[in-house]
Amino acid sequence: MTKYAVTLRALETGDMGFIEHVYATSRALEMTHSGWPAEQIASFLKMQFNAQHQYYQQHFTHAEFCIVEADGERAGRLYTYFGRTCAVLIDIALLPHYQKHGIGSGLLEALLRRSDQLQLPVELSVEPYNPALQLYQRFGFQVIDQKGVYLRMRREAPDHPSRMPS
């Protein structure tokens, strides 16, 4: 349960600076180990954000790109895709101030409810050192593969009662 009223809305052109900031904060700890000056980190993160955003737009053309709002304030982003055979949690990221308040868990629960209603498994990719890995495991995701630095995880849809043998 979260203390915030959480809503989702479609990503708008005016949100680009915000989602770039969300991306940068999600990589902040990792970047502290780079030894690079702040300007170089900022330039690198801008380049990485642009590449990621372009990739998502090209490879998930029918995805839902949403801004997460908490009490009416922009708190993060949630990108999901619902295909014919699988749902994909493309990306979920919250600003540090909104983390550890149940927002991510609530968003994940809603995604799983929706995919269960559609009888779709859910897949995602996560880096092994990402603290969200434990959250995904708690929600029943299991590692199915490793591609580069990412673990691919999957949570099967529960059997639908109408499909149970009589």
Side-chain angles (χ1 to χ4, degrees), residues 17-56:
F18 172 73
I19 61 172
E20 183 177 344
H21 175 67
V22 170
Y23 176 81
T25 62
S26 74
R27 303 277 309 268
L29 179 61
E30 175 187 355
M31 292 285 85
T32 62
H33 302 291
S34 70
W36 297 346
E39 304 80 34
Q40 188 175 2
I41 290 173
S43 177
F44 174 77
L45 289 176
K46 184 175 193 64
M47 179 186 66
Q48 291 290 301
F49 166 77
N50 287 328
Q52 181 193 68
H53 184 74
Q54 184 177 16
Y55 177 87
Y56 289 164

Side-chain angles (χ1 to χ4, degrees), residues 53-66:
H53 184 74
Q54 184 177 16
Y55 177 87
Y56 289 164
Q57 296 295 312
Q58 289 176 346
H59 289 86
F60 296 99
T61 54
H62 299 290
E64 298 171 11
F65 297 99
C66 295

Side-chain angles (χ1 to χ4, degrees), residues 2 29 131 137 155:
T2 178
L29 179 61
Q137 290 171 326
R155 179 201 172 262

Side-chain angles (χ1 to χ4, degrees), residues 16-165:
M16 292 304 293
F18 172 73
I19 61 172
E20 183 177 344
H21 175 67
V22 170
Y23 176 81
T25 62
S26 74
R27 303 277 309 268
L29 179 61
E30 175 187 355
M31 292 285 85
T32 62
H33 302 291
S34 70
W36 297 346
E39 304 80 34
Q40 188 175 2
I41 290 173
S43 177
F44 174 77
L45 289 176
K46 184 175 193 64
M47 179 186 66
Q48 291 290 301
F49 166 77
N50 287 328
Q52 181 193 68
H53 184 74
Q54 184 177 16
Y55 177 87
Y56 289 164
Q57 296 295 312
Q58 289 176 346
H59 289 86
F60 296 99
T61 54
H62 299 290
E64 298 171 11
F65 297 99
C66 295
I67 294 296
V68 178
E69 293 184 338
D71 291 342
E73 298 292 322
R74 295 183 298 185
R77 66 184 191 175
L78 176 67
Y79 299 167
T80 55
Y81 172 77
F82 288 85
R84 291 186 354 199
T85 60
C86 185
V88 180
L89 174 57
I90 302 166
D91 190 75
I92 182 172
L94 298 170
L95 292 173
H97 172 76
Y98 294 102
Q99 295 173 6
K100 300 188 186 335
H101 293 286
I103 295 172
S105 294
L107 294 169
L108 192 53
E109 286 172 356
L111 169 68
L112 295 177
R113 273 194 310 274
R114 182 175 171 194
S115 58
D116 288 352
Q117 289 171 345
L118 297 169
Q119 299 176 29
L120 294 174
V122 179
E123 292 189 359
L124 59 84
S125 295
V126 64
E127 294 158 321
Y129 58 82
N130 188 324
L133 177 62
Q134 293 175 341
L135 174 69
Y136 300 142
Q137 290 171 326
R138 199 171 76 228
F139 277 90
F141 284 86
Q142 297 181 343
V143 175
I144 58 169
D145 193 7
Q146 183 162 359
K147 287 195 173 197
V149 299
Y150 294 99
L151 299 174
R152 273 190 49 229
M153 300 185 81
R154 182 178 175 105
R155 179 201 172 262
E156 296 295 337
D159 290 335
H160 194 271
S162 64
R163 290 192 169 186
M164 298 298 284

